Amino acid sequence: MLGRVPLKAVERLANAGWMIRSWCDARWRANGLIRAELGRDLLQLPIDVARRARAGILLEKLIDQRIYFGRAIRGGESLPDLDAVAHTLAQQVRYLQGVAPGKPIFVSPFHYVSQYANIYVVEKMGALLGIDSLAVVSGVPQNQYGDDHALIPGIKVLYTYNDPNRGGLGVRVARALKRHGVAVLFSDVPPFTMHRYPMETIGVSISGRNARIHNGVFRMGASFDALLLPFYLRFEQGRFTARLFDDIRLADKDAPQSLAGYIETALSENYPQWLPAGHPAMYSFAAAK
C-alpha cells in the first residue's frame, strides 16, 4: 500500500499522522514540539515554518518506504524529479573533472528529506557517470525494509555505524577514489550522532555561535587534494528539488568554514526537513569530553 501512495499525498499523511498520534502519545508530541521550538528559537525561523518540523520524522519514514516499496513492486520505479537532480549532479562532476583533472571528488548529500531519496539520487548519478558500484560512506543501518543491495545494486556502502572494521574505512575510501575518482559521503553529520565512537571534529562558526563539524572529510580530502560537492534535497507538494552548492577544495585552510556556511544556509532554508532536527546540541560539542 505504501509503495502505491501518490507522492503528493505523503506530506499530508505525515502531518495528519503526527497530529493523530500526538493526541495519545505524550512523548511523540513532545519530540515534535522540541523540533519546532529549536527551529524557532535557535534559527529564528517563522513559527509557521518551524511547525512543519514537528512531522519531520514521520515524513522521512513515509518517503523512505514510498521509494523503497515503490521500486520493489514496480521492478525499479523511475522518479523524474530525482532523476533530474542526478543528471545535474553528473553534469557538475564531469565539469569538475574537466577543469580539475585528476582530483578526486566527494559528492556530499546533506541529511535532508530521506536517506533513500539521497541514495536514489547518487545511484542514478553513478550510473550516468558509468560507475557500476559507487562507494557511499554511511552510518545508517542497512536493510531496514528488505535487502538493500538487491534493490539498489549500484551502491557499495562503506558502513561505519557498528562496523567492526571501521578502522579500515580510510583504506576502503582510498581504493574507491583510485578506482572511480568519485565517492559519496555525508559531510554535514552532527557530532552527537556518533554516540558509539569518538568523532574527530574541527571548530567552526554556525549562526554566529561556536560549533564543530566532522573533520574526517578534511583530513582525508587534503591528503588526496580532493574536491567536495555538497547539495541537499527539498520535498514540497509532492515534488523533489535540490540546492547545489559550489565545490570546496578540501585542502584549503578555509574549507571547514566554507562547509559550515553551507550547513548554516541549508538549516535556515529547510530546517523542517533536516533529518537530525530536534537534538538540543545541534553542532555544539565539547571537544575535550
Side-chain angles (χ1 to χ4, degrees):
M1 182 181 70
L2 286 169
R4 292 181 170 85
V5 171
L7 283 170
K8 287 184 177 181
V10 169
E11 204 165 4
R12 292 195 299 271
L13 284 174
N15 290 328
W18 183 85
M19 292 294 294
I20 292 170
R21 184 168 173 178
S22 67
W23 289 340
C24 57
D25 187 333
R27 186 181 297 274
W28 181 266
R29 181 171 63 253
N31 287 340
L33 293 176
I34 289 170
R35 290 170 65 96
E37 288 170 358
L38 287 173
R40 181 196 65 195
D41 298 339
L42 291 181
L43 301 175
Q44 306 299 311
L45 297 177
I47 187 61
D48 59 323
V49 175
R51 281 176 177 167
R52 291 178 53 215
R54 297 180 300 182
I57 295 176
L58 186 53
L59 178 63
E60 175 197 3
K61 186 174 182 179
L62 288 176
I63 293 176
D64 280 350
Q65 293 176 335
R66 170 60 181 80
I67 292 175
Y68 188 91
F69 294 127
R71 298 185 75 182
I73 63 179
R74 295 175 179 85
E77 179 185 26
S78 178
L79 300 169
D81 296 341
L82 295 180
D83 289 342
V85 174
H87 184 74
T88 301
L89 281 171
Q91 284 185 320
Q92 188 62 19
V93 168
R94 290 195 188 99
Y95 169 77
L96 293 175
Q97 289 173 333
V99 298
K103 289 188 184 294
I105 299 170
F106 286 108
V107 177
S108 179
F110 286 175
H111 287 83
Y112 285 83
V113 178
S114 154
Q115 292 286 49
Y116 276 100
N118 281 312
I119 292 299
Y120 179 102
V121 166
V122 296
E123 182 196 21
K124 294 292 183 179
M125 178 201 72
L128 291 168
L129 294 172
I131 301 173
D132 57 350
S133 183
L134 182 65
V136 178
V137 180
S138 173
V140 177
Q142 298 181 76
N143 304 325
Q144 297 182 70
Y145 305 114
D147 187 348
D148 286 352
H149 183 70
L151 194 64
I152 316 169
I155 293 294
K156 180 180 181 181
V157 178
L158 305 182
Y159 201 44
T160 59
Y161 182 79
N162 212 21
D163 186 347
N165 191 28
R166 183 173 180 268
L169 177 62
V171 174
R172 283 175 280 169
V173 173
R175 288 173 178 167
L177 287 176
K178 185 176 181 180
R179 186 179 304 114
H180 300 300
V182 180
V184 175
L185 55 77
F186 293 78
S187 62
D188 72 324
V189 55
F192 70 82
T193 59
M194 296 293 286
H195 59 275
R196 178 172 179 133
Y197 296 102
M199 178 185 279
E200 177 190 357
T201 60
I202 187 169
V204 293
S205 175
I206 296 179
S207 299
R209 302 178 180 88
N210 291 333
R212 302 195 71 84
I213 58 177
H214 198 352
N215 188 49
V217 64
F218 304 107
R219 175 176 44 78
M220 190 183 307
S223 65
F224 298 134
D225 195 19
L227 302 175
L228 184 75
L229 180 59
F231 74 96
Y232 77 86
L233 294 178
R234 300 182 69 116
F235 181 75
E236 191 171 5
Q237 296 181 351
R239 298 293 303 274
F240 293 98
T241 56
R243 165 76 182 268
L244 271 66
F245 295 103
D246 291 338
D247 59 282
I248 299 172
R249 184 171 179 261
L250 291 170
D252 288 350
K253 184 178 179 180
D254 60 349
Q257 188 55 51
S258 296
L259 177 59
Y262 293 160
I263 291 172
E264 180 180 340
T265 298
L267 285 171
S268 65
E269 291 178 346
N270 200 31
Y271 170 79
Q273 294 178 350
W274 186 45
L275 303 185
H279 195 286
M282 293 187 72
Y283 287 94
S284 302
F285 185 64
K289 296 184 179 179

